[in-house]
Amino acid sequence: MPEVVSLCKGPKEAYEAFADKGAELCRKPLLKVFHQAVYAGIYIGFGGMLSLVVAGGIADASKNNPTLQSFVFAALFPVNLLLILLTGGVLMTGASATVPTAVYEKKAHWSSIPKIIAISWVGN
């Protein structure tokens, strides 16, 4: 019988990958983290504007179906998150989760927490 292979990680493997991601972020030069945070913030702005412009532009079409405008907004906003994921952007929310995890697992020094979170916050 063939072995079953899953593309999804189990809880333990996912946690370890999460901590590794935080450790990798701590090892990056601070200027690179800032750059990744800036363009992640720009992508968030692009996604918000895309959603507002397109959903706001269908006001006439949504008179008969008021939920259409909300659906279009909700469908378009995740585009920015996909862009951030594909380009390796750093959001403060992700940094505030991955870096402390790396520190807890002793894969990074505790002084990385305020540095990385502050830089990602300013960049976003």
PDB file of all heavy atoms in Angstrom, residues 50-69:
ATOM      1  N   LEU A  50      -7.792  49.376  -3.666  1.00  0.00           N
ATOM      2  CA  LEU A  50      -8.424  48.556  -4.706  1.00  0.00           C
ATOM      3  C   LEU A  50      -9.834  48.162  -4.287  1.00  0.00           C
ATOM      4  O   LEU A  50     -10.784  48.301  -5.060  1.00  0.00           O
ATOM      5  CB  LEU A  50      -7.582  47.306  -4.965  1.00  0.00           C
ATOM      6  CG  LEU A  50      -8.196  46.259  -5.899  1.00  0.00           C
ATOM      7  CD1 LEU A  50      -8.195  46.777  -7.335  1.00  0.00           C
ATOM      8  CD2 LEU A  50      -7.450  44.946  -5.806  1.00  0.00           C
ATOM      9  N   SER A  51      -9.963  47.709  -3.064  1.00  0.00           N
ATOM     10  CA  SER A  51     -11.273  47.294  -2.567  1.00  0.00           C
ATOM     11  C   SER A  51     -12.251  48.467  -2.517  1.00  0.00           C
ATOM     12  O   SER A  51     -13.407  48.336  -2.925  1.00  0.00           O
ATOM     13  CB  SER A  51     -11.140  46.680  -1.177  1.00  0.00           C
ATOM     14  OG  SER A  51     -10.335  45.553  -1.212  1.00  0.00           O
ATOM     15  N   LEU A  52     -11.789  49.602  -2.025  1.00  0.00           N
ATOM     16  CA  LEU A  52     -12.670  50.778  -1.923  1.00  0.00           C
ATOM     17  C   LEU A  52     -13.094  51.292  -3.294  1.00  0.00           C
ATOM     18  O   LEU A  52     -14.263  51.620  -3.503  1.00  0.00           O
ATOM     19  CB  LEU A  52     -11.971  51.886  -1.138  1.00  0.00           C
ATOM     20  CG  LEU A  52     -11.860  51.688   0.356  1.00  0.00           C
ATOM     21  CD1 LEU A  52     -10.989  52.771   0.976  1.00  0.00           C
ATOM     22  CD2 LEU A  52     -13.227  51.680   1.003  1.00  0.00           C
ATOM     23  N   VAL A  53     -12.152  51.366  -4.219  1.00  0.00           N
ATOM     24  CA  VAL A  53     -12.467  51.914  -5.538  1.00  0.00           C
ATOM     25  C   VAL A  53     -13.415  50.996  -6.298  1.00  0.00           C
ATOM     26  O   VAL A  53     -14.428  51.444  -6.851  1.00  0.00           O
ATOM     27  CB  VAL A  53     -11.167  52.166  -6.344  1.00  0.00           C
ATOM     28  CG1 VAL A  53     -11.470  52.447  -7.798  1.00  0.00           C
ATOM     29  CG2 VAL A  53     -10.388  53.311  -5.728  1.00  0.00           C
ATOM     30  N   VAL A  54     -13.114  49.709  -6.327  1.00  0.00           N
ATOM     31  CA  VAL A  54     -13.955  48.787  -7.086  1.00  0.00           C
ATOM     32  C   VAL A  54     -15.317  48.609  -6.413  1.00  0.00           C
ATOM     33  O   VAL A  54     -16.355  48.697  -7.059  1.00  0.00           O
ATOM     34  CB  VAL A  54     -13.257  47.425  -7.285  1.00  0.00           C
ATOM     35  CG1 VAL A  54     -14.187  46.426  -7.935  1.00  0.00           C
ATOM     36  CG2 VAL A  54     -11.998  47.604  -8.117  1.00  0.00           C
ATOM     37  N   ALA A  55     -15.317  48.368  -5.099  1.00  0.00           N
ATOM     38  CA  ALA A  55     -16.593  48.183  -4.399  1.00  0.00           C
ATOM     39  C   ALA A  55     -17.397  49.477  -4.387  1.00  0.00           C
ATOM     40  O   ALA A  55     -18.631  49.447  -4.496  1.00  0.00           O
ATOM     41  CB  ALA A  55     -16.355  47.696  -2.974  1.00  0.00           C
ATOM     42  N   GLY A  56     -16.726  50.607  -4.273  1.00  0.00           N
ATOM     43  CA  GLY A  56     -17.436  51.887  -4.310  1.00  0.00           C
ATOM     44  C   GLY A  56     -17.970  52.212  -5.687  1.00  0.00           C
ATOM     45  O   GLY A  56     -18.957  52.930  -5.837  1.00  0.00           O
ATOM     46  N   GLY A  57     -17.330  51.670  -6.713  1.00  0.00           N
ATOM     47  CA  GLY A  57     -17.762  51.929  -8.083  1.00  0.00           C
ATOM     48  C   GLY A  57     -18.964  51.120  -8.518  1.00  0.00           C
ATOM     49  O   GLY A  57     -19.509  51.363  -9.592  1.00  0.00           O
ATOM     50  N   ILE A  58     -19.369  50.161  -7.734  1.00  0.00           N
ATOM     51  CA  ILE A  58     -20.532  49.353  -8.111  1.00  0.00           C
ATOM     52  C   ILE A  58     -21.743  49.693  -7.259  1.00  0.00           C
ATOM     53  O   ILE A  58     -22.618  48.846  -7.041  1.00  0.00           O
ATOM     54  CB  ILE A  58     -20.220  47.847  -8.051  1.00  0.00           C
ATOM     55  CG1 ILE A  58     -19.852  47.406  -6.636  1.00  0.00           C
ATOM     56  CG2 ILE A  58     -19.142  47.459  -9.027  1.00  0.00           C
ATOM     57  CD1 ILE A  58     -19.821  45.914  -6.450  1.00  0.00           C
ATOM     58  N   ALA A  59     -21.812  50.920  -6.822  1.00  0.00           N
ATOM     59  CA  ALA A  59     -22.940  51.320  -5.965  1.00  0.00           C
ATOM     60  C   ALA A  59     -24.267  51.172  -6.697  1.00  0.00           C
ATOM     61  O   ALA A  59     -25.265  50.750  -6.098  1.00  0.00           O
ATOM     62  CB  ALA A  59     -22.751  52.756  -5.490  1.00  0.00           C
ATOM     63  N   ASP A  60     -24.296  51.515  -7.994  1.00  0.00           N
ATOM     64  CA  ASP A  60     -25.544  51.378  -8.750  1.00  0.00           C
ATOM     65  C   ASP A  60     -25.944  49.918  -8.909  1.00  0.00           C
ATOM     66  O   ASP A  60     -27.123  49.583  -8.838  1.00  0.00           O
ATOM     67  CB  ASP A  60     -25.393  52.032 -10.135  1.00  0.00           C
ATOM     68  CG  ASP A  60     -25.254  53.538 -10.038  1.00  0.00           C
ATOM     69  OD1 ASP A  60     -25.720  54.110  -9.025  1.00  0.00           O
ATOM     70  OD2 ASP A  60     -24.663  54.133 -10.950  1.00  0.00           O
ATOM     71  N   ALA A  61     -24.957  49.055  -9.132  1.00  0.00           N
ATOM     72  CA  ALA A  61     -25.254  47.632  -9.309  1.00  0.00           C
ATOM     73  C   ALA A  61     -25.707  46.988  -8.005  1.00  0.00           C
ATOM     74  O   ALA A  61     -26.405  45.974  -8.030  1.00  0.00           O
ATOM     75  CB  ALA A  61     -24.035  46.904  -9.851  1.00  0.00           C
ATOM     76  N   SER A  62     -25.338  47.565  -6.893  1.00  0.00           N
ATOM     77  CA  SER A  62     -25.686  46.954  -5.610  1.00  0.00           C
ATOM     78  C   SER A  62     -26.978  47.504  -5.010  1.00  0.00           C
ATOM     79  O   SER A  62     -27.313  47.166  -3.874  1.00  0.00           O
ATOM     80  CB  SER A  62     -24.533  47.117  -4.624  1.00  0.00           C
ATOM     81  OG  SER A  62     -24.327  48.477  -4.349  1.00  0.00           O
ATOM     82  N   LYS A  63     -27.704  48.322  -5.753  1.00  0.00           N
ATOM     83  CA  LYS A  63     -28.982  48.828  -5.222  1.00  0.00           C
ATOM     84  C   LYS A  63     -29.990  47.704  -5.052  1.00  0.00           C
ATOM     85  O   LYS A  63     -30.724  47.661  -4.065  1.00  0.00           O
ATOM     86  CB  LYS A  63     -29.544  49.911  -6.145  1.00  0.00           C
ATOM     87  CG  LYS A  63     -28.819  51.220  -6.006  1.00  0.00           C
ATOM     88  CD  LYS A  63     -29.444  52.284  -6.864  1.00  0.00           C
ATOM     89  CE  LYS A  63     -28.633  53.568  -6.704  1.00  0.00           C
ATOM     90  NZ  LYS A  63     -29.088  54.615  -7.591  1.00  0.00           N
ATOM     91  N   ASN A  64     -30.030  46.787  -6.014  1.00  0.00           N
ATOM     92  CA  ASN A  64     -30.974  45.662  -5.920  1.00  0.00           C
ATOM     93  C   ASN A  64     -30.431  44.549  -5.030  1.00  0.00           C
ATOM     94  O   ASN A  64     -31.189  43.725  -4.539  1.00  0.00           O
ATOM     95  CB  ASN A  64     -31.254  45.103  -7.312  1.00  0.00           C
ATOM     96  CG  ASN A  64     -31.995  46.100  -8.175  1.00  0.00           C
ATOM     97  OD1 ASN A  64     -32.720  46.954  -7.656  1.00  0.00           O
ATOM     98  ND2 ASN A  64     -31.802  46.025  -9.476  1.00  0.00           N
ATOM     99  N   ASN A  65     -29.123  44.497  -4.889  1.00  0.00           N
ATOM    100  CA  ASN A  65     -28.496  43.462  -4.078  1.00  0.00           C
ATOM    101  C   ASN A  65     -27.478  44.138  -3.147  1.00  0.00           C
ATOM    102  O   ASN A  65     -26.303  44.255  -3.490  1.00  0.00           O
ATOM    103  CB  ASN A  65     -27.819  42.426  -4.972  1.00  0.00           C
ATOM    104  CG  ASN A  65     -27.297  41.243  -4.202  1.00  0.00           C
ATOM    105  OD1 ASN A  65     -27.443  41.164  -2.986  1.00  0.00           O
ATOM    106  ND2 ASN A  65     -26.683  40.309  -4.918  1.00  0.00           N
ATOM    107  N   PRO A  66     -27.894  44.579  -1.979  1.00  0.00           N
ATOM    108  CA  PRO A  66     -27.013  45.360  -1.110  1.00  0.00           C
ATOM    109  C   PRO A  66     -25.781  44.601  -0.607  1.00  0.00           C
ATOM    110  O   PRO A  66     -24.795  45.202  -0.234  1.00  0.00           O
ATOM    111  CB  PRO A  66     -27.904  45.778   0.055  1.00  0.00           C
ATOM    112  CG  PRO A  66     -29.166  45.025  -0.072  1.00  0.00           C
ATOM    113  CD  PRO A  66     -29.226  44.426  -1.429  1.00  0.00           C
ATOM    114  N   THR A  67     -25.811  43.286  -0.620  1.00  0.00           N
ATOM    115  CA  THR A  67     -24.652  42.535  -0.144  1.00  0.00           C
ATOM    116  C   THR A  67     -23.561  42.406  -1.195  1.00  0.00           C
ATOM    117  O   THR A  67     -22.438  42.013  -0.868  1.00  0.00           O
ATOM    118  CB  THR A  67     -25.067  41.127   0.315  1.00  0.00           C
ATOM    119  OG1 THR A  67     -25.665  40.437  -0.787  1.00  0.00           O
ATOM    120  CG2 THR A  67     -26.043  41.189   1.469  1.00  0.00           C
ATOM    121  N   LEU A  68     -23.851  42.745  -2.441  1.00  0.00           N
ATOM    122  CA  LEU A  68     -22.862  42.626  -3.507  1.00  0.00           C
ATOM    123  C   LEU A  68     -21.650  43.509  -3.240  1.00  0.00           C
ATOM    124  O   LEU A  68     -20.503  43.081  -3.425  1.00  0.00           O
ATOM    125  CB  LEU A  68     -23.494  42.989  -4.864  1.00  0.00           C
ATOM    126  CG  LEU A  68     -22.566  42.942  -6.069  1.00  0.00           C
ATOM    127  CD1 LEU A  68     -22.106  41.513  -6.313  1.00  0.00           C
ATOM    128  CD2 LEU A  68     -23.259  43.497  -7.286  1.00  0.00           C
ATOM    129  N   GLN A  69     -21.889  44.724  -2.802  1.00  0.00           N
ATOM    130  CA  GLN A  69     -20.789  45.654  -2.542  1.00  0.00           C
ATOM    131  C   GLN A  69     -19.882  45.121  -1.419  1.00  0.00           C
ATOM    132  O   GLN A  69     -18.657  45.157  -1.540  1.00  0.00           O
ATOM    133  CB  GLN A  69     -21.343  47.031  -2.183  1.00  0.00           C
ATOM    134  CG  GLN A  69     -20.317  48.122  -2.203  1.00  0.00           C
ATOM    135  CD  GLN A  69     -20.958  49.492  -2.062  1.00  0.00           C
ATOM    136  OE1 GLN A  69     -22.079  49.617  -1.586  1.00  0.00           O
ATOM    137  NE2 GLN A  69     -20.241  50.518  -2.466  1.00  0.00           N
TER     138      GLN A  69
END
